[in-house]
Amino acid sequence: MTERMTPASPPDDPSDDHRPPAVRIALEPVTWKEISHLLVNLPASLVGFVYVVTMVALGAGLAVTVVGLPLLAGGLRGARQLGKAERARARALLGLRIDEPSPLPVRRTGFFGWLWSSLKDPVGWRAVLYGFIRLPWGIVTFTMTLVSLFVLWPVLPFIARGLSNVDRALVRGLLSPSDELERRIAELESDRGVVIDTAAADLRRIERDLHDGAQARLVNLAMGLGLAKEKLLEDPDAAALMVDEAHGEVKLALKELRDLARGIHPAVLTDRGLDAALSSIASRCTVPVKVTADLDARPAAAIEGIAYFTVSELLQNVSKHSGARSAAVDVWRTDERLLIQVRDDGRGGAGLDGGTGMAGLADRLGAVDGLFVVDSPVGGPTVITAELPWRDRQNEPAQQ
C-alpha cells in the first residue's frame, strides 16, 4: 500500500479546457448555446457599461468630497459581482471553465481598511475594464449574429464559433483570477493557519509537560523541605531522610526540564548543527540507525529545526511501529532544496492516515513550501522523503 502526498496540482490551464466539437453546417446544441450567448451580449453589455460608467463618474466626480471614495469602493465590489455573473454565463453557454477569484480579505481594521482593500482590488478594476470594452463588442456580435440568422445561415456556425472564441479570450483575459498570485495568496492563507495551529499545539504541549512534570515535582519538593524543616530539631534522622528524598526529586525535575528544553530546541542542534543533532537522535533509537549528512553549510534556524523534528518523529515511529532491524537517515542539499530520506526494513504499511503523526508532519512541511512523500508497501521496506526549501543563515553566527 503506497500513500503519497504531493503538492496540490495547479488549476487547469485555460488551454487545457474542453474544447467545443468541430464546427458543422448542421446546428448542434453547442452552436445554439454560442448563438444564444452572442445574442445576449448586447443587453448584458449595456447593463455592465451603464453600471461602470455611472459608478466611475460618480466616484471620480465626488472624490473631493467625503462620499466619493467610499462610493467608488462600493462600486468596485459591485463590479466583482458583474464579473461573477459573466463568468457564470460563459460557463453555461460557452462551456468555459473559469475559477472564481479569491474573495476580498475580511479586515478588522475598520472603515479605512475596508476602503483601501476595495480600492486596490485588481479583480474589481479588471471587471470595470471588461464592462467598458464590452459594449462595442456586444453591438458587433449581436448585429452579426442576428443578420447571419436570416442571411448567412449556411455559414452561421463558423461565424458563431469565431465570435464566441473572441468572447472566450476576453473572459479568460479579464475575468480569470491572476493565476499565480491568486493561488499563492490562497496557499499562504492556508499555510498561515497551519503554522498558527501547530504553534498553539506546541504551546499546549509545553504547558502540559511543565504542569504535570517539573512543576508537580517542585511542589512536592517544597512540601518535603517544609516537613524536613519542622522535623530538623525533633527528629534529625527523619529530616535527613526527607532532605535526601528532596535531593532525588531535584535531580528528576532537572532531568525533566532538560528533556523539555531538548524538545523545544536541542542545544546540540544550536551548537553543532544538523549532523550532530541527528546522530544524537539516532543513538536513542531502539534499532541501529546510520546517519549520513552531506551539507556544506547550515540552513536557516527555522528550516534546521523543522528538519530535526521531522527526523525525530520518524525515528520514533521506527522504534514504536515498524518492527525494523535497521534504519538509515540521509540528508543532503540539491540546488535550493534540503532533502531528507528515512529508510527502514520494517513491516511497512505506513501512511498519512495511520495515526502515527505523519499527517501533522506533512502539514508542517507544507506550511513552508515543503514536500512529504511516503512510500511504504505492506511488507516493507519504508522510504519516507521530506523536502524543504533551503534558506541560508543570515545574521547568525556560525556555531559549528
Side-chain angles (χ1 to χ4, degrees):
M1 174 179 177
T2 302
E3 298 274 351
R4 295 183 181 271
M5 178 176 179
T6 56
S9 299
D12 291 337
D13 189 80
S15 62
D16 296 330
D17 287 343
H18 292 305
R19 297 187 180 279
V23 180
R24 297 177 182 177
I25 295 179
L27 299 185
E28 296 184 345
V30 171
T31 305
W32 281 115
K33 286 184 177 181
E34 291 175 340
I35 293 171
S36 301
H37 183 274
L38 296 170
L39 292 175
V40 174
N41 269 353
L42 181 58
S45 59
L46 276 173
V47 171
F49 184 81
V50 170
Y51 175 83
V52 297
V53 167
T54 304
M55 178 267 295
V56 171
L58 286 177
L62 298 176
V64 294
T65 68
V66 177
V67 299
L69 292 179
L71 184 63
L72 183 59
L76 287 171
R77 291 193 173 231
R80 264 182 166 254
Q81 300 306 311
L82 286 178
K84 182 177 181 180
E86 285 297 306
R87 283 189 294 273
R89 188 164 71 95
R91 277 193 293 269
L93 298 178
L94 299 182
L96 186 62
R97 296 182 299 177
I98 295 292
D99 294 330
E100 292 295 325
S102 300
L104 283 173
V106 178
R107 298 181 180 271
R108 301 183 182 277
T109 52
F111 171 75
F112 290 103
W114 171 86
L115 181 64
W116 177 243
S117 65
S118 300
L119 289 176
K120 68 187 184 80
D121 175 27
V123 176
W125 283 111
R126 290 203 308 271
V128 169
L129 178 60
Y130 182 84
F132 268 121
I133 67 176
R134 282 287 293 175
L135 181 57
W137 178 247
I139 295 172
V140 170
T141 58
F142 178 83
T143 304
M144 290 187 66
T145 306
L146 192 62
V147 170
S148 300
L149 274 172
F150 297 99
V151 179
L152 302 174
W153 61 264
V155 293
L156 175 59
F158 301 93
I159 294 174
R161 177 59 51 82
L163 297 176
S164 297
N165 284 340
V166 176
D167 267 335
R168 291 184 176 97
L170 285 174
V171 174
R172 284 195 190 105
L174 294 176
L175 298 183
S176 295
S178 306
D179 293 335
E180 196 62 36
L181 179 60
E182 292 283 339
R183 185 163 59 249
R184 187 61 181 154
I185 290 173
E187 288 175 357
L188 290 175
E189 289 176 348
S190 174
D191 292 346
R192 181 180 61 183
V194 171
V195 170
I196 292 173
D197 292 343
T198 302
D202 288 342
L203 287 175
R204 288 194 298 270
R205 177 183 59 81
I206 294 169
E207 181 183 12
R208 183 179 63 251
D209 291 346
L210 283 172
H211 182 271
D212 297 341
Q215 179 179 327
R217 290 194 181 280
L218 291 174
V219 170
N220 290 334
L221 173 63
M223 294 175 61
L225 289 175
L227 292 173
K229 181 180 178 181
E230 293 177 0
K231 289 183 176 291
L232 186 60
L233 298 178
E234 300 176 3
D235 190 352
D237 292 337
L241 182 60
M242 290 181 178
V243 170
D244 188 56
E245 291 177 354
H247 185 247
E249 288 288 328
V250 169
K251 289 183 177 179
L252 290 173
L254 287 174
K255 180 179 182 301
E256 289 181 354
L257 287 173
R258 279 196 297 269
D259 291 341
L260 181 62
R262 186 183 296 116
I264 298 172
H265 197 84
V268 66
L269 180 62
T270 303
D271 297 338
R272 300 174 58 193
L274 200 55
D275 190 359
L278 296 184
S279 297
S280 176
I281 299 173
S283 67
R284 300 195 296 270
C285 189
T286 58
V287 301
V289 180
K290 179 182 178 182
V291 176
T292 304
D294 183 14
L295 299 175
D296 56 0
R298 293 180 62 178
I303 299 299
E304 198 173 58
I306 294 174
Y308 172 86
F309 288 111
T310 298
V311 175
S312 177
E313 182 77 20
L314 292 175
L315 289 183
Q316 286 183 35
N317 288 340
V318 171
S319 297
K320 295 177 182 178
H321 308 293
S322 71
R325 290 171 295 178
S326 64
V329 177
D330 293 311
V331 182
W332 71 98
R333 177 184 178 181
T334 174
D335 296 329
E336 295 304 312
R337 307 293 285 182
L338 175 65
L339 285 91
I340 303 165
Q341 193 170 80
V342 178
R343 305 184 305 278
D344 69 72
D345 57 1
R347 65 177 64 95
L352 297 175
D353 56 353
T356 55
M358 289 193 184
L361 288 176
D363 289 341
R364 180 173 289 191
L365 267 67
V368 292
D369 287 339
L371 187 65
F372 190 77
V373 179
V374 179
D375 185 2
S376 183
V378 175
T382 295
V383 179
I384 297 176
T385 305
E387 185 178 323
L388 288 163
W390 180 276
R391 290 202 273 269
D392 293 322
R393 291 203 163 206
Q394 296 180 355
N395 302 323
E396 297 181 29
Q399 301 177 10
Q400 301 203 34

